[in-house]
Amino acid sequence: MNSEKLTVSLYVRWFTSVLFCTFVSIFFLFAFYSRIGFLIAQLCCGGMYFALIIQACYTIGSRDHNRYLFDKGPKTPLKGLWAGLITAIPSFISAIVLIVCKLAENNNSLVLLLYRIINSQFYALNLMILPTALSLNEISLVAVLGSAALTLLMPVVAWLSYLAGFSNADFLYGLIKITGKKKGA
């Protein structure tokens, strides 16, 4: 589907955000280990992570729209979704390993730590869903599945922002175009 450039761009942004979010989360959680510290850390990490994804996908979607208009490329509405799914493979693998370890009643805390680091964009949120005071056996399966579902956000955001860029409108207006809502008369 010719999504290599977008996929590489998203991988670079994912890796950058993992490093940034790990350091920011550690700083805020050591400085302010409370609900407010969790909220500040999650807002900083989530904002940076999703801003990087949206910027990359929107820009390439807009470029692809211009190529489509001048008959230099095909219409590719699923390009952002495929690139997002490919980029989210490390997150998906870590989530699957976490679920399998939970179902197998494996009490390896290293799996939980690696899962949190690979998905450091949601580190503070994962600390609230999967507390560090509990072992993997003590955490409920619903909490593990809820935390694993967070990995699905990246492909969805990448796809919607690519579609918004491809519709060649402002981001919010692009989302309105995608959902099909009409402006009032």
Side-chain angles (χ1 to χ4, degrees), residues 144-164:
V144 170
L145 292 174
S147 178
L150 292 173
T151 61
L152 297 173
L153 285 176
M154 198 280 240
V156 171
V157 169
W159 182 43
L160 290 176
S161 57
Y162 179 83
L163 285 176

Side-chain angles (χ1 to χ4, degrees), residues 133-147:
L134 302 177
S135 68
L136 190 56
N137 289 338
E138 297 170 331
I139 298 172
S140 72
L141 181 62
V142 173
V144 170
L145 292 174
S147 178

Side-chain angles (χ1 to χ4, degrees), residues 78-128:
L78 295 177
K79 185 176 183 178
L81 179 63
W82 291 122
L85 287 171
I86 292 169
T87 306
I89 287 174
S91 297
F92 290 154
I93 291 172
S94 68
I96 289 169
V97 168
L98 182 70
I99 292 170
V100 167
C101 285
K102 172 62 182 163
L103 292 175
E105 296 184 5
N106 185 351
N107 197 12
N108 192 350
S109 61
L110 181 63
V111 171
L112 196 54
L113 177 66
L114 289 176
Y115 172 77
R116 285 189 178 123
I117 290 173
I118 290 173
N119 297 300
S120 65
Q121 306 85 340
F122 306 110
Y123 194 87
L125 190 57
N126 278 329
L127 281 178
M128 289 191 280

